[in-house]
Amino acid sequence: ERLRRGMGARAVYNIVSFEALLIEARPLVDDPCTEFRVAGRILNVSLRSSTVTIAPNDAAFGERLTLNVLERTEITINGVPARLSDLSEGMRAAAVFCRETLVAKSIAARARQ
């Protein structure tokens, strides 16, 4: 019950029954994070650098905003869980990110019709 989504973990389990014999997890780091939300159109997806560049609807963010995508970033397309590789240029997206690190916490995209 103390395990939380996003924790780094290691498990030893029985390969036949999949019963966990040992679970070690690192606590989530309480990094300072000022959350911002941005909505716009995806301009670029880079699998190599694990980034997504968005053209924000709000001019306060500038012409483009490049966010870092981590393994723990929650990505959805039309409400269905997805991966970075599933995102593509032109999709409409809303992202929640940390201002200090530009790490995306979540990206919710809509597939083009």
Side-chain angles (χ1 to χ4, degrees):
E1 63 198 36
R2 293 188 330 223
L3 295 176
R4 299 286 178 255
R5 175 182 235 153
M7 287 179 151
R10 181 178 81 89
V12 177
Y13 61 93
N14 181 311
I15 197 162
V16 175
S17 69
F18 292 106
E19 181 180 330
L21 305 173
L22 170 74
I23 299 174
E24 294 175 348
R26 294 187 309 269
L28 292 170
V29 179
D30 292 330
D31 290 330
C33 177
T34 306
E35 287 188 5
F36 275 91
R37 184 179 189 280
V38 64
R41 184 176 48 85
I42 295 176
L43 294 176
N44 182 275
V45 177
S46 173
L47 300 179
R48 185 175 197 178
S49 62
S50 295
T51 59
V52 172
T53 301
I54 297 175
N57 294 337
D58 185 344
F61 289 107
E63 289 182 23
R64 59 183 50 221
L65 178 65
T66 299
L67 301 176
N68 299 301
V69 178
L70 304 179
E71 216 172 279
R72 67 178 181 252
T73 301
E74 294 180 24
I75 300 173
T76 59
I77 298 176
N78 297 334
V80 177
R83 295 183 176 161
L84 178 61
S85 60
D86 298 324
L87 298 175
S88 61
E89 290 181 20
M91 286 181 160
R92 305 301 288 166
V96 175
F97 67 97
C98 290
R99 180 185 69 179
E100 294 82 1
T101 60
L102 293 178
V103 169
K105 290 187 153 200
S106 66
I107 300 171
R110 291 191 320 252
R112 291 179 281 183
Q113 302 289 331

